[in-house]
Amino acid sequence: MSSSAAGAAAGSSVRASHILIKHEGSRRKASWKDPEGRVIRSTTRDSAVSQLKALREDIVAGKAKFEDLASRFSDCSSAKRGGDLGPFGRGQMQKPFEEATYALKVGEISDIVDTDSGVHIIMRTG
């Protein structure tokens, strides 16, 4: 067994998808859908949170699929994979993101999570 397989078997790695909305306080104010950062620089954190809450409500209500909304709205390059970040272990993501992901059960979607990148909703997939 490879060391990564052993680690996964021990429950040390998780898999998640997310939707990131960047805002004026984000560390990097540009993304694949806003390369100049014009929208991001004029988006307040409150506005980003409102957008995410609306997306989350649509997913929870069954009106939309997480992957579809991530592909359209996420400011992360993982959008092209429906928000999938693949497997990761502790210490690989920003602390608030890591803690939120590990606290979720597979299939659950987080509330709003704040990081230096922006605001996220996270769905644990593994």
Side-chain angles (χ1 to χ4, degrees), residues 66-89:
F66 192 100
E67 308 77 50
D68 296 341
L69 295 183
S71 298
R72 288 172 50 205
F73 298 106
S74 182
D75 277 312
C76 180
S77 60
S78 68
K80 59 181 169 281
R81 297 183 301 281
D84 184 17
L85 294 168
F88 59 89

Side-chain angles (χ1 to χ4, degrees), residues 4 10 15-16 22 26 32 34 42 62 70 84 86 98 111 117 119:
S4 62
R15 184 171 190 149
K22 292 187 172 190
S26 295
W32 67 273
D34 185 16
S42 64
D84 184 17
E98 173 190 303
D111 286 322
S117 300
V119 291

Side-chain angles (χ1 to χ4, degrees), residues 38-107:
R38 288 191 185 103
V39 175
I40 293 166
R41 284 176 214 284
S42 64
T43 301
T44 64
R45 181 191 170 277
D46 286 348
S47 169
V49 166
S50 296
Q51 290 174 57
L52 264 188
K53 282 185 173 172
L55 295 176
R56 188 183 189 283
E57 283 172 22
D58 283 351
I59 296 161
V60 172
K63 293 181 192 166
K65 288 192 165 128
F66 192 100
E67 308 77 50
D68 296 341
L69 295 183
S71 298
R72 288 172 50 205
F73 298 106
S74 182
D75 277 312
C76 180
S77 60
S78 68
K80 59 181 169 281
R81 297 183 301 281
D84 184 17
L85 294 168
F88 59 89
R90 292 202 181 269
Q92 290 185 266
M93 299 289 177
Q94 293 177 56
K95 200 72 176 154
F97 191 97
E98 173 190 303
E99 287 173 357
T101 304
Y102 275 86
L104 294 169
K105 293 183 179 77
V106 173

